[in-house]
Amino acid sequence: MIRNTAASWGSLARAFHWVLGIAIIGMLAYGWWMNHVPARADKFFYRSIHADIGYLVLLLTVLRLVWRGVNPTPALPAEMPSWQRIAARVSHGALYAVTLLVAMLGWAHSGARAQDYSSFFGLFHVPQITSPDKAAADAFEDRHIFFAYVLLALIVLHLAAVAFHHFVKRDRVAARMVGTGAADQAGLST
């Protein structure tokens, strides 16, 4: 099924989750590598690829939020304490917000550079949201990197919660995003 139900995530929500999860973790690793390699002539190329994938992450995150807005969110187990429900909502909201913030700061950094990263894989130019300004470019880059580390911390927290639900609680919350038939059929009571 493509749409979500009250008991499980649909195939499109799962696809958004896994594609974005892999892309974001890949971008964090690539960004770290890119900033820790010695300065070289082709550094612009690596940063340009990072920006191109960043534009895709931003677009997919917006599409994912729209899809989530028009679909029901699967219910959490009825026996889950209210503090865990609140923590789940807050942490998921933070993941979305910081992902958007990191992508927007990267986009702002691109436009503030004298030589921007607007060429999208050489196919067309992405309109830039800032104008060239060296001091602004440096500030956007610093904030982009800082919030990338915040995003990494949120991802670690998310993975810890997944492990807790899967290995300790065994409540099938994590299995719903994997798409195992047992999780879909079990349906979680509300």
Side-chain angles (χ1 to χ4, degrees), residues 51-180:
D52 292 345
I53 297 169
Y55 296 133
L56 284 175
V57 166
L58 178 60
L59 175 64
L60 289 174
T61 302
V62 169
L63 291 174
R64 180 178 185 185
L65 286 170
V66 168
W67 184 251
R68 186 175 172 127
V70 299
N71 274 277
T73 300
L76 294 170
E79 66 276 2
M80 182 179 282
S82 61
W83 72 268
Q84 285 183 3
R85 291 172 183 275
I86 292 167
R89 277 194 297 274
V90 169
S91 65
H92 282 102
L95 276 167
Y96 288 125
V98 176
T99 297
L100 290 171
L101 180 60
V102 169
M104 292 300 294
L105 286 167
W107 190 6
H109 171 250
S110 170
R113 286 179 39 85
Q115 184 181 14
D116 65 37
Y117 306 113
S118 65
S119 176
F120 185 76
F121 293 108
L123 301 173
F124 59 88
H125 286 277
V126 175
Q128 297 300 290
I129 59 174
T130 54
S131 301
D133 180 332
K134 171 94 170 88
D138 291 343
F140 286 131
E141 183 176 29
D142 289 344
R143 285 165 180 81
H144 175 73
I145 292 169
F146 173 79
F147 282 105
Y149 281 109
V150 171
L151 182 57
L152 179 60
L154 289 169
I155 290 168
V156 169
L157 182 66
H158 181 71
L159 293 174
V162 167
F164 173 74
H165 281 284
H166 186 73
F167 296 111
V168 177
K169 297 288 285 189
R170 297 186 186 274
D171 59 10
R172 310 294 296 162
V173 168
R176 297 181 307 172
M177 191 51 80
V178 177
T180 60

